[in-house]
Amino acid sequence: MQSFDVQVSGAGIVGKSLALSLARLGLSVAVRSARAATPPSEDVRAYALSPASIALLERLKVWDALADDARTAVHEMLVRGDGEGAVLEFSAWEQRVAELAVIVDAAALEQELEAALRFAPHVTRVDDDVPAALVAHCEGRGAALGPLRDTVAFERSDTGQRAIAARLVATVPHRHTARQWFRSPDVLALLPFDRPEPGRSYALVWSLPSARAEALLAMDRGAFEQELAAAVGSDAGALALASERASWPLLVGGASEWCGPGWVVLGDAAHLVHPLAGQGLNLGLADVAALASVIAAREPWRALGDERLLRRYVRQRAAPTWAMTRITDGLLRLFAEPAAPIRELRNNGMQIVNRVTPLKRWLTARALDS
Ligand SMILES: Cc1cc2nc3c(=O)[nH]c(=O)nc-3n(C[C@H](O)[C@H](O)[C@H](O)COP(=O)(O)OP(=O)(O)OC[C@H]3O[C@@H](n4cnc5c(N)ncnc54)[C@H](O)[C@@H]3O)c2cc1C
């Protein structure tokens, strides 16, 4: 049987990006997908990607291949709490950057990565495990049931919430403004987008207690749109569904170990964060960039599966991942608390943060760096 430098197990966005990154270093890469993977073309999500993620996709020649209407820049972000005047406003102008994030069509990104993989030298698709010096586990949530299940403890705690995603079309232009509502018991994001209607579309991500989410999913389109209007008010104009609604149970957690002799874990397989801060994929793509740079800089005599080499990757990624996990967990707990004194405290806190420009800059910089 042919043997490879690296086998990438799991062909989501993280696995595909890693395969392309390693092939660019001249390594032979086998990519093994799940047997019953969901077709990416049915993914209605859109991701908020940070400049660091975009830089990686540019290096992989995937970013510029995306159609113009598959990526939309965010220039302003409005975050509302559940009290009068509890608003946080972020702007690219205030941050002195071209954009705060870019919203990218999940299915289009998967398709461009897939096309790049087809033409990449040194990449082979395989159906079963093959001999390889290093196995990179990128199986996302599926990792807990995958080949590492007896080696690594995968902590997965159910938040009791589901996220509903869908595309919407608004009656007024989005003006490149992302809108978020942080409150108890839901977190709702309207991400400006240009599909299907240029300038007037949004990608919806609505995280709610599971029972409420199930009830919303069971409603017909008209009833759902009414509930949505009640949740977001009229700032974005009237919103109509422009796609099917899809939903995900929201789990948080991580893998107890990220590497061992001959194996390494990346992306959601290593760390699962709540989507309220839109950082899960950004963390996964930062893992890819870190592992590829550690491998590129290795000593000529060091084997790819050498645990000491892989520990360099883990050392690079541990602190930023820990920080982002604490931030998202902290926000989730803070905004899930219905008690009136806590609600008042967090709403006042938002008003204070909004007035302190350096603090807002610092917060934005953390999100841009991930
Ligand atoms: C509603 C929602 C909105 C989100 N929005 C954002 C956002 O705005 N920004 C952001 O950065 N992140 C966001 N995220 C998080 C983001 O979706 C994930 O972090 C990202 O998709 C993880 O990519 P991955 O490749 O690690 O895992 P996955 O996308 O889960 O891919 C794993 C792949 O491995 C395959 N697989 C599973 N088991 C096996 C096996 N045993 N063998 C081989 N293959 C296997 C699966 O079929 C799949 O193809 C959001 C998440 C949700 C739920």
Side-chain angles (χ1 to χ4, degrees):
M1 193 188 267
Q2 188 186 350
S3 93
F4 292 83
D5 292 321
V6 184
Q7 176 185 306
V8 174
S9 179
I13 294 175
V14 170
K16 287 186 181 115
S17 303
L18 181 66
L20 286 172
S21 302
L22 298 182
R24 278 165 53 87
L25 300 178
L27 300 174
S28 60
V29 184
V31 179
R32 190 170 76 73
S33 322
R35 290 209 168 76
T38 318
S41 56
E42 292 172 15
D43 199 331
V44 293
R45 280 176 297 180
Y47 295 127
L49 291 191
S50 67
S53 296
I54 294 167
L56 172 72
L57 296 168
E58 277 172 347
R59 289 197 295 279
L60 299 180
K61 313 273 182 247
V62 168
W63 187 252
D64 291 333
L66 285 164
D68 285 347
D69 67 347
R71 47 190 188 165
T72 304
V74 177
H75 296 152
E76 307 265 340
M77 193 181 296
L78 291 176
V79 183
R80 289 182 206 283
D82 46 9
E84 199 53 41
V87 184
L88 266 172
E89 296 162 291
F90 297 95
S91 82
W93 170 80
E94 196 176 70
Q95 195 63 25
R96 303 191 189 112
V97 291
E99 60 237 347
L100 292 173
V102 178
I103 311 300
V104 180
D105 185 285
L109 179 55
E110 289 249 16
Q111 277 156 16
E112 290 307 333
L113 283 165
E114 189 63 46
L117 270 187
R118 268 202 300 278
F119 295 108
H122 320 301
V123 175
T124 309
R125 301 301 289 244
V126 295
D127 293 326
D128 284 304
D129 288 334
V130 289
L134 172 65
V135 180
H137 291 277
C138 307
E139 298 106 348
R141 292 165 178 226
L145 304 171
L148 279 181
R149 62 185 176 276
D150 298 327
T151 318
V152 172
F154 288 96
E155 186 213 325
R156 298 281 189 257
S157 37
D158 191 342
T159 60
Q161 295 191 340
R162 286 189 86 83
I164 299 176
R167 293 296 162 81
L168 309 167
V169 171
T171 47
V172 296
H174 57 56
R175 298 188 200 288
H176 297 270
T177 301
R179 298 164 192 278
Q180 267 199 293
W181 286 259
F182 275 28
R183 58 201 170 192
S184 174
D186 64 331
V187 177
L188 192 154
L190 292 180
L191 307 174
F193 206 58
D194 289 331
R195 274 187 183 170
E197 286 287 327
R200 288 198 297 116
S201 305
Y202 285 99
L204 167 73
V205 185
W206 196 357
S207 307
L208 310 112
S210 300
R212 171 81 175 131
E214 305 283 3
L216 285 166
L217 290 164
M219 287 175 189
D220 63 28
R221 296 172 81 95
F224 180 84
E225 285 165 5
Q226 274 180 17
E227 293 289 337
L228 184 61
V232 303
S234 57
D235 286 7
L239 296 164
L241 272 171
S243 74
E244 294 302 320
R245 289 157 276 175
S247 79
W248 286 260
L250 294 181
L251 310 174
V252 293
S256 59
E257 300 287 333
W258 288 3
C259 75
W263 61 268
V264 65
V265 189
L266 300 93
D268 273 17
H271 38 71
L272 268 178
V273 296
H274 192 284
L276 65 84
Q279 289 298 332
L281 182 58
N282 289 312
L283 286 175
L285 292 176
D287 294 349
V288 169
L291 182 61
S293 74
V294 160
I295 287 180
R298 79 189 186 283
E299 302 84 345
W301 43 266
R302 199 172 287 281
L304 283 168
D306 186 333
E307 193 178 345
R308 271 165 299 180
L309 174 71
L310 303 173
R311 292 248 159 251
R312 293 175 193 164
Y313 150 76
V314 174
R315 279 198 292 278
Q316 270 194 38
R317 295 302 303 141
T321 306
W322 185 87
M324 189 52 77
T325 308
R326 293 283 85 75
I327 290 171
T328 50
D329 285 358
L331 284 172
L332 187 60
R333 286 211 189 94
L334 179 66
F335 285 94
E337 180 54 67
I342 304 281
R343 215 172 61 200
E344 200 179 316
L345 200 66
R346 70 182 177 233
N347 288 329
N348 289 340
M350 285 177 86
Q351 292 181 44
I352 292 166
V353 173
N354 200 41
R355 282 189 228 117
V356 183
T357 308
L359 181 55
K360 273 203 296 182
R361 279 217 185 106
W362 183 85
L363 283 170
T364 320
R366 298 286 76 69
L368 291 172
D369 282 351
S370 67

